[in-house]
Amino acid sequence: MGRWLALVLMLGLGLAHPFRGNGGFVEGEVDFEPNDATPRAGVPTVAWIEYVRVGGLPINPRDCFCTLLFYQGQVRATAQPDAQVQLQFNPRNGRVEGRVVFPKPGPYFLVLLGRPLPGRQMPPFIMQVLIVVLPP
C-alpha cells in the first residue's frame, strides 16, 4: 500500500496539469485562478469546474450541487477535510466556482462530490484527484 501511494504521489507531482481527474466512469477538470495556476497555501483561490462527464456523457455544472473537499494525508470516511468549498454558479462569468484557502503547502486529495439540484436531471458522482499546493 505504501509503494502504491508513493507512486501516485510521484505521478501526480510530475503531471503538467495535475488538476485533471479521470476515474474511468467519471472524468472532469477543476481549475484554479488566476490563469489555472497552482494554488498557494494561505492565499484565497477560486476553484471552478471546467467540465465533468459521467459515463462519457457531459454534465452541465449548473445542474450540480457540487462540493469540493481537500484532504492532506489519508482519506477515510471519518476524516474531516482540511479545506472545503461549496461551488455555486457565478452569473458574471458563467462558471460554477467557489473560494478556498489551503491551510498548508503539500499534496492534497481533491474530492468533488456532485448531486443534482432540485428539478435537474443528472447522475450523482464522485471524482478524486491529487493536487499539490505551493508555499505562500
Side-chain angles (χ1 to χ4, degrees):
M1 181 71 169
R3 287 184 190 167
W4 184 83
L5 183 58
L7 177 64
V8 168
L9 286 174
M10 286 189 300
L11 289 175
L13 294 174
L15 292 174
H17 194 319
F19 312 120
R20 185 166 293 163
N22 185 347
F25 188 70
V26 177
E27 64 180 314
E29 187 171 329
V30 175
D31 291 323
F32 296 93
E33 292 296 338
N35 300 321
D36 200 20
T38 303
R40 296 192 170 278
V43 177
T45 302
V46 174
W48 59 283
I49 299 174
E50 176 78 25
Y51 73 90
V52 174
R53 288 188 201 103
V54 178
L57 300 173
I59 299 296
N60 184 346
R62 292 175 68 174
D63 292 342
C64 183
F65 180 76
C66 292
T67 304
L68 281 172
L69 306 169
F70 301 91
Y71 296 89
Q72 195 171 44
Q74 277 191 315
V75 179
R76 297 182 308 272
T78 58
Q80 293 295 315
D82 295 285
Q84 73 180 53
V85 61
Q86 193 69 48
L87 301 178
Q88 297 181 353
F89 177 68
N90 183 340
R92 288 181 284 174
N93 57 24
R95 300 188 312 203
V96 174
E97 63 184 22
R99 185 174 299 282
V100 64
V101 178
F102 293 94
K104 298 183 288 189
Y108 284 80
F109 285 101
L110 178 151
V111 179
L112 175 61
L113 303 173
R115 63 179 197 256
L117 287 169
R120 306 289 173 89
Q121 295 291 322
M122 65 165 262
F125 64 88
I126 297 174
M127 186 180 80
Q128 304 172 58
V129 68
L130 180 69
I131 66 166
V132 176
V133 174
L134 300 175

